[in-house]
Amino acid sequence: MNRLEAFGTIAAQAARGEISFPTSVNAVLRLQHALNDPDCHLEDAIRLVLGEPQLAARTVALANSSTFNTSGRPVTNVRSAVTRVGYRNLQTLVASLVVRQFGARIEDPDLRAKAEQLWEHTVQVAALAHVFARHVTFVNPDTAMFAGIVHEVGGFYLLSRADGFPGLLDDDPEKWAELCEDVVTREVARKLALPEPVAEAIFELRGAWLHMPPASLLDTLLLANMYASVPSPLGTARAPLPEHSESALDYLLDEETLHRMIEEASEIAASMGGALLV
């Protein structure tokens, strides 16, 4: 099967709703559905988090980041951490587990390296989206962080499928991978039951232009992608950032404020990050 046929097969399966998730992803999705239940009690949420050691550790780490620990008093247990970060951010951490699990079955070393880079990019974008939402676009920062975590979920699925098609994601001047990823992203988003505003922002992200002043969830994701120091290994080459004094953002932010925001995002990313393939 040549590459074009392979892309066609993956895209056609996605269009028919034939998205195959690893067993580990399905387990995390059950956790996601439970937390999404409006009747899920705090005690049930705590029990579910404790059942996933990675989720428990990341919840406590996020709760102790400066963004959520404004009092300076660290939390040392899941109960306090869940209360501090709230259900929305807990759902973001669950989504990050879903993304991680897509990489768990990749065996090809080159694809594993791409998955690691995509994960690092994803975490940076999620953290930056949270900070830009609070200081620039004024959309809901929790929604922005969630959108950042899932904005490349189609790419992770494509990487997991590429393991069965050697050379699929090699040099791709015709951009077949981008077309396939767009189809896959829509179906994966449906399977994950992403909220419509989040899904629409993700679908529109490729090729979108930043509005000035930036004020939407899409603008927030565009800004986060612009300032992520690690680019996606699946996207087109990112244009170099202009000097801040040459940027339209100079009308909104001075250089010192922008630097502080990037530092704040780095701390959030560190609390959510860690190796993808563990």
Side-chain angles (χ1 to χ4, degrees):
M1 182 181 295
N2 63 38
R3 292 171 66 197
L4 182 55
E5 290 174 333
F7 281 129
T9 296
I10 296 171
Q13 289 174 341
R16 293 194 299 267
E18 297 173 7
I19 294 288
S20 58
F21 289 165
T23 302
S24 54
V25 170
N26 289 323
V28 179
L29 287 177
R30 287 193 290 272
L31 171 60
Q32 179 196 47
H33 292 153
L35 290 173
N36 285 345
D37 185 345
D39 294 326
C40 181
H41 192 271
L42 176 63
E43 296 298 327
D44 295 326
I46 292 168
R47 175 177 53 79
L48 291 167
V49 173
L50 288 171
E52 289 286 345
Q54 284 190 49
L55 178 60
R58 294 301 170 195
T59 304
V60 172
L62 184 62
N64 283 321
S65 68
S66 60
T67 298
F68 294 94
N69 184 20
T70 54
S71 67
R73 294 192 296 271
V75 299
T76 57
N77 59 80
V78 169
R79 177 183 298 277
S80 298
V82 170
T83 302
R84 179 176 287 179
V85 304
Y87 271 27
R88 282 179 178 265
N89 291 307
L90 185 58
Q91 288 165 343
T92 296
L93 293 175
V94 172
S96 75
L97 280 184
V98 173
V99 170
R100 284 168 178 262
Q101 295 302 329
F102 277 122
R105 63 180 180 181
I106 297 175
E107 297 180 358
D108 180 271
D110 291 336
L111 293 176
R112 288 175 69 89
K114 286 181 184 292
E116 289 283 7
Q117 182 179 337
L118 189 59
W119 170 243
E120 190 173 353
H121 166 78
T122 294
V123 172
Q124 287 189 3
V125 168
L128 285 164
H130 189 275
V131 175
F132 281 126
R134 289 172 51 223
H135 297 286
V136 180
T137 61
F138 304 109
V139 301
N140 186 295
D142 299 337
T143 300
M145 187 158 67
F146 178 79
I149 280 291
V150 298
H151 86 286
E152 287 280 9
V153 70
F156 279 105
Y157 179 81
L158 189 58
L159 280 169
S160 72
R161 291 298 310 275
D163 213 33
F165 300 94
L168 183 68
L169 296 179
D170 291 347
D171 291 341
D172 182 28
E174 293 85 9
K175 303 189 184 304
W176 293 114
E178 289 185 7
L179 294 174
C180 182
E181 184 183 346
D182 289 344
V183 174
V184 167
T185 296
R186 288 185 177 273
E187 184 56 29
V188 173
R190 190 183 70 80
K191 290 281 189 179
L192 297 180
L194 297 185
E196 185 174 345
V198 171
E200 287 303 316
I202 293 171
F203 300 157
E204 295 172 12
L205 189 56
R206 195 190 306 280
W209 291 86
L210 181 68
H211 294 90
M212 293 302 294
S216 67
L217 181 58
L218 176 59
D219 289 332
T220 308
L221 290 178
L222 287 168
L223 279 172
N225 271 276
M226 285 172 58
Y227 284 93
S229 61
V230 177
S232 166
L234 301 180
T236 55
R238 184 185 64 183
L241 284 172
E243 293 295 327
H244 187 251
S245 60
E246 301 173 0
S247 169
L249 284 178
D250 194 39
Y251 291 101
L252 301 174
L253 299 167
D254 60 73
E255 191 168 357
E256 182 180 351
T257 301
L258 180 62
H259 181 69
R260 285 201 306 268
M261 289 167 58
I262 292 174
E263 284 190 337
E264 180 182 347
S266 295
E267 183 183 356
I268 296 174
S271 70
M272 299 176 64
L276 169 67
L277 304 172
V278 294

